[in-house]
Amino acid sequence: MNRELTWRYLMAATVLSVMGLLILWQTFRIQSGPRATTFLNQSEFYSRLLRRIQPPRGQIFDRDGNLLAGNRTVYEIGVELASVEDPRDIAIALSALVGADYNTVLTIASQPASENAIYAVLADYVPPENIELLKAYDVSRPPQPDVSLLCSNDPALESLICTAHLQRSYPEKDLASSVLGFVSREGIGYFGVEQQYQDLLAGLSETVWVPTDPSRAEEMPEIPAGASLVLTLDRDIQAAVEDILDTNLEQTGAESGTILVMHATTGEILAMASSPRLDLNEFWKYPEIFPDSTPFNRAISQTYEPGSVFKIVTMAAALDKNVVKPDTPFMDTGYIEIGGIGIRNWNGQAWGQQNMLTCLQYSLNVCLAWVGQELGADAFYDYVQEFGFGYTTGIDLAGEARGNVKEPGDQDWYPADLGTNTFGQGIAVTPVQMVMAVSALTNNGQMVIPHIVKSLVQDGSQYNISPQYAGAPITAQTAKTLSEMLAVSLEQEASNALVPGYRVAGKTGTAQIPGPNGYLNNQTNTSFVGWGPVDSPQFIVYVWIEKPSTSIWASDIAAPIFSEVVERLVVLMNIPPDALRLELAAAGAN
Amino acid sequence: MSRTKRLIQAYRQAPWRKQVQLVGFIVAGVAIVALIAGIYLDVTARAATMGRAVQSLQGAREDLEQNLEDLETELAYLNSVATMHARAEKLGFQELSSSLVTYLPVSGYEGRADAQLAPNLASQFSTGSRLPTAYTQSLFDWFGGLFKSLGGF
């Protein structure tokens, strides 16, 4: 190799080395120079995206797996401000096809693009049908396959971006609306199950950095979806009960009402109908449908004086305490004075010689006030407390009221209250409290807590929820005796509540309505609580109708509704008539 | 002549041999570096491709989940009580009253089962051991079992 060649090699090597060193030096200079932090921040900024991940809200099913609350895709329409050619085209299109306000869209789309104004939302919760219309806005151009984010193929609308997201949807519209509650556009549950189980249903929404580097794709966090709930509600029973309630409210000219159906032994709520109801897909109509302080679900939130249905509690306490027996005689003179207040029967008449069974059958206030007096205030209010009055039942629905029970020792309690409370006056309860109290009669003296969620589905597993009990205020013997008394009293009275083929027990309640100047004239709340079949209770039905205009008596209003509900219930619950059921049971035993 | 001296003499006679050797080493080094860089590039490119595929599948999964929710909700609308009642009425069906029902005993029928949307958590945990008895029984147990199977005492 000659010298000249060697020299050339050396020169080339030197130049290349110097260039390499210069590159290294420049790299070092950039990384340690004054703008190093800026570059570092920029590189970090582009390496990941800040994204808020909202997992899909859990679904809600009835006990048979029918979907009551699900999710459906809707779209947010936004605009890339820098790409807007003519905001008027956008405003015209969106006002015509999406129903957006022309001037609002025009104002937003006319904003000049800047560092702080890159993208602006023009409309949200737009259904897919409207997006299809928008996509087909320019029919002269064929759809382009790689523009899924773009709302329209029309060049004038190319700056629009449609982003899909989920919105709560209620396929049954207003069915069981008072139980389900609704979800606002911010994803917050209001009332009912949606509010009570908000955290479980919504899941954990997280704001996370998502790496844009494909080699770090596995770092994408897995956000679990919200839990789904299976309710104890039976969609068919719920629909039947709502239908009966609506029809009867119309026929009786009543202001409002509620019907509650609970499984007698498990506490599962099978149906809970309340008026008025809201199409949950149009939840923004809530203030219009529920003006002032109208309860969303009367079965749990409405407190009222129960009237004579409360006599069940008084008699249960007296029987349990051995103060009276079913055949204990009572001479009804039509008047009794307790705490300086005179108490009369519902018709103001004296009913003569009676016993405890007929006292319940004819719903005699004087007799029950006497029973309360014999029982004594302390024992009576102990039982009232043990039956759960004055406390929430613990039903898993948002918005449950406690009711109001005055007791000896309270500033506003007077000895006269003992007399009126025994027949359900001067005490405020909720329908669900009454049903829980009555469950002691269908469960051998043990009260079952009403509940609405049957099971919870999360992470691919189903968790079943067992019945919970709230103590035993009375003995099994008392429960059986009183149940029999109430069944016989209905039969002897030939009550409108009777159901052919099925033996039921229950009690009517006609309660006067307290006003600012005493009780209102000719206006009552009528109710009926009943259960059956008496020998093996399967259901408890509570009917409450507010201010009916065709009659003021529960025996005319609430009792027939109970009968109507039970007639539908036995079909939907597959309960054969008593005779056949006992025959089948006997055959099975043999 | 020693071996070292012979090498020094050979180098003095033809110094280009050493240069060729040096160039050879450098070329080999560059080739190795290029090979490693090539492999690295290939692996990185494949990882990036896979990463893109994962990202794309994640997006597709989100789309499918959303689509599934849409379809489930759509199905629920089609099967809603109001729709089904309207369809039943149109087909001439009437609501069944309790007096029209005929009950028949069906042995083994337990009635309608409640919705089971996922495996029950309790059923996923077996209370007994999942190991075959051979792994848990003692020698005496085994002998006992053997005697029993042979009809012994």
Side-chain angles (χ1 to χ4, degrees):
Chain A
M1 196 183 289
N2 57 34
R3 270 177 191 277
E4 192 181 342
L5 203 58
T6 308
W7 185 84
R8 283 181 186 174
Y9 281 142
L10 278 172
M11 277 300 290
T14 310
V15 169
L16 288 173
S17 301
V18 168
M19 280 173 69
L21 286 172
L22 280 174
I23 290 168
L24 280 174
W25 168 249
Q26 180 66 357
T27 312
F28 176 76
R29 205 176 64 85
I30 288 170
Q31 287 185 12
S32 58
R35 294 186 65 196
T37 320
T38 316
F39 289 134
L40 198 65
N41 290 342
Q42 267 187 359
S43 74
E44 272 189 23
F45 179 76
Y46 288 117
S47 72
R48 54 192 187 164
L49 291 170
L50 189 65
R51 212 176 130 193
R52 182 165 180 79
I53 301 178
Q54 177 71 54
R57 194 174 176 91
Q59 295 164 310
I60 302 176
F61 301 87
D62 83 336
R63 65 188 301 124
D64 294 322
N66 297 305
L67 189 71
L68 299 176
N71 302 302
R72 63 185 303 195
T73 304
V74 288
Y75 291 84
E76 175 192 285
I77 302 178
V79 64
E80 262 184 5
L81 294 169
S83 312
V84 175
E85 285 181 9
D86 189 345
R88 283 174 301 180
D89 288 338
I90 294 172
I92 290 168
L94 292 193
S95 61
L97 304 176
V98 178
D101 179 57
Y102 175 87
N103 290 324
T104 311
V105 174
L106 186 65
T107 312
I108 297 171
S110 303
Q111 290 178 79
S114 69
E115 235 179 78
N116 296 325
I118 299 162
Y119 173 87
V121 178
L122 299 173
D124 203 352
Y125 301 95
V126 179
E129 307 86 74
N130 295 56
I131 297 296
E132 289 303 316
L133 289 175
L134 204 57
K135 275 191 177 164
Y137 188 59
D138 181 3
V139 289
S140 63
R141 290 182 63 184
Q144 294 171 18
D146 294 318
V147 289
S148 55
L149 272 179
L150 299 181
C151 295
S152 173
N153 298 329
D154 191 303
L157 305 180
E158 271 178 359
S159 57
L160 291 185
I161 292 174
C162 288
T163 314
H165 61 94
L166 291 171
Q167 185 198 13
R168 203 53 154 171
S169 185
Y170 300 92
E172 300 287 353
K173 298 173 183 171
D174 68 346
L175 186 90
S177 60
S178 45
V179 177
L180 295 175
F182 57 82
V183 178
S184 70
R185 288 188 164 164
E186 291 75 36
I188 298 165
Y190 290 92
F191 304 109
V193 174
E194 295 279 24
Q195 183 179 334
Q196 181 75 14
Y197 290 97
Q198 163 68 16
D199 292 345
L200 267 176
L201 287 165
L204 284 174
S205 72
E206 282 185 40
T207 304
V208 290
W209 286 104
V210 178
T212 50
D213 181 353
S215 61
R216 292 169 60 198
E218 78 279 4
E219 290 176 24
M220 175 78 182
E222 282 279 339
I223 309 289
S228 290
L229 300 175
V230 179
L231 303 188
T232 58
L233 286 187
D234 182 312
R235 185 183 73 161
D236 296 325
I237 297 177
Q238 179 73 28
V241 166
E242 286 185 3
D243 182 39
I244 291 169
L245 178 65
D246 293 348
T247 309
N248 280 285
L249 287 180
E250 200 179 323
Q251 283 175 359
T252 59
E255 271 191 13
S256 66
T258 183
I259 300 178
L260 213 164
V261 182
M262 186 175 91
H263 194 281
T265 55
T266 63
E268 292 176 350
I269 300 290
L270 300 171
M272 191 181 259
S274 176
S275 72
R277 288 189 303 281
L278 170 73
D279 179 348
L280 299 170
N281 296 310
E282 297 174 348
F283 62 86
W284 51 88
K285 290 185 178 167
Y286 166 72
E288 183 189 321
I289 294 172
F290 295 87
D292 306 322
S293 55
T294 307
F296 192 75
N297 183 354
R298 292 181 190 276
I300 60 164
S301 308
Q302 172 97 55
T303 59
Y304 64 99
E305 293 197 0
S308 296
V309 288
F310 202 77
K311 287 171 182 164
I312 294 174
V313 176
T314 308
M315 190 56 79
L319 289 170
D320 200 62
K321 202 80 177 161
N322 283 322
V323 172
V324 294
K325 289 194 167 83
D327 56 358
T328 302
F330 175 72
M331 176 56 74
D332 190 307
T333 57
Y335 182 82
I336 190 170
E337 196 174 295
I338 295 179
I341 299 284
I343 290 167
R344 294 177 193 281
N345 286 321
W346 53 272
N347 62 352
Q349 303 290 311
W351 285 71
Q353 190 63 49
Q354 301 293 330
N355 60 31
M356 292 304 111
L357 197 149
T358 53
C359 279
L360 285 177
Q361 185 181 329
Y362 304 125
S363 201
L364 304 178
N365 297 343
V366 174
C367 175
L368 268 293
W370 171 80
V371 170
Q373 206 175 30
E374 293 295 304
L375 191 62
D378 288 344
F380 173 74
Y381 287 105
D382 280 350
Y383 274 99
V384 167
Q385 213 172 60
E386 280 181 46
F387 271 108
F389 295 103
Y391 304 95
T392 53
T393 61
I395 189 172
D396 45 347
L397 285 173
E400 190 188 1
R402 291 177 53 204
N404 184 28
V405 179
K406 295 181 284 180
E407 292 179 358
D410 291 347
Q411 280 189 338
D412 53 351
W413 184 84
Y414 299 98
D417 286 326
L418 172 65
T420 53
N421 287 172
T422 56
F423 55 92
Q425 264 192 5
I427 187 168
V429 306
T430 62
V432 76
Q433 280 178 333
M434 275 309 303
V435 168
M436 188 174 88
V438 160
S439 73
L441 301 186
T442 61
N443 272 298
N444 297 319
Q446 206 173 29
M447 281 195 307
V448 64
I449 298 176
H451 65 279
I452 203 80
V453 171
K454 190 170 178 61
S455 49
L456 187 151
V457 183
Q458 194 169 32
D459 301 331
S461 296
Q462 186 158 332
Y463 307 78
N464 291 330
I465 293 164
S466 309
Q468 303 284 316
Y469 295 92
I474 52 172
T475 63
Q477 185 55 46
T478 307
K480 198 177 165 194
T481 306
L482 185 54
S483 206
E484 188 60 26
M485 283 169 75
L486 290 166
V488 171
S489 71
L490 287 186
E491 286 157 359
Q492 286 184 353
E493 198 191 352
S495 165
N496 287 329
L498 294 173
V499 182
Y502 297 85
R503 191 153 188 258
V504 292
K507 180 78 190 78
T508 51
T510 303
Q512 289 177 291
I513 301 170
N517 305 311
Y519 286 100
L520 304 175
N521 285 328
N522 293 322
Q523 284 195 327
T524 56
N525 288 330
T526 64
S527 57
F528 188 94
V529 65
W531 56 97
V534 173
D535 63 303
S536 171
Q538 298 286 305
F539 53 81
I540 301 172
V541 177
Y542 187 83
V543 179
W544 180 79
I545 305 292
E546 183 184 9
K547 298 179 187 169
S549 59
T550 52
S551 168
I552 60 164
W553 303 111
S555 53
D556 297 333
I557 303 290
I561 297 176
F562 168 83
S563 176
E564 200 179 338
V565 169
V566 173
E567 282 204 43
R568 298 281 287 277
L569 205 54
V570 291
V571 174
L572 294 168
M573 287 180 77
N574 285 326
I575 304 173
D578 290 349
L580 180 63
R581 181 170 49 83
L582 295 170
E583 191 184 312
L584 290 175
N590 294 330
Chain B
M1 193 182 288
S2 71
R3 185 182 169 84
T4 316
K5 282 183 180 173
R6 278 206 302 274
L7 277 171
I8 293 167
Q9 192 182 7
Y11 177 72
R12 280 179 183 159
Q13 281 173 351
W16 54 269
R17 280 182 179 162
K18 190 189 174 185
Q19 287 166 349
V20 166
Q21 202 177 24
L22 187 68
V23 168
F25 279 132
I26 292 169
V27 168
V30 168
I32 289 167
V33 168
L35 190 69
I36 292 169
I39 292 170
Y40 177 77
L41 195 64
D42 181 54
V43 170
T44 313
R46 277 204 235 172
T49 310
M50 288 297 161
R52 282 295 299 158
V54 169
Q55 284 176 332
S56 167
L57 287 171
Q58 279 169 346
R61 189 179 70 175
E62 273 176 34
D63 287 349
L64 282 172
E65 280 172 354
Q66 218 163 56
N67 199 18
L68 194 65
E69 293 253 4
D70 273 341
L71 290 172
E72 276 182 305
T73 309
E74 183 71 29
L75 186 66
Y77 271 95
L78 294 173
N79 288 324
S80 67
V81 170
T83 313
M84 295 302 278
H85 267 237
R87 282 176 64 189
E89 269 177 24
K90 203 175 167 187
L91 291 168
F93 289 100
Q94 306 178 350
E95 213 151 73
L96 189 66
S97 71
S98 56
S99 58
L100 294 174
V101 181
T102 304
Y103 290 92
L104 289 172
V106 178
S107 61
Y109 177 63
E110 298 285 337
R112 273 191 308 181
D114 292 330
Q116 191 69 44
L117 304 178
N120 195 327
L121 188 71
S123 67
Q124 291 178 31
F125 299 105
S126 170
T127 47
S129 170
R130 289 182 186 182
L131 286 174
T133 48
Y135 289 93
T136 54
Q137 67 186 169
S138 67
L139 194 59
F140 291 107
D141 294 335
W142 181 75
F143 269 120
L146 194 65
F147 275 123
K148 265 189 188 172
S149 66
L150 293 172
F153 47 88

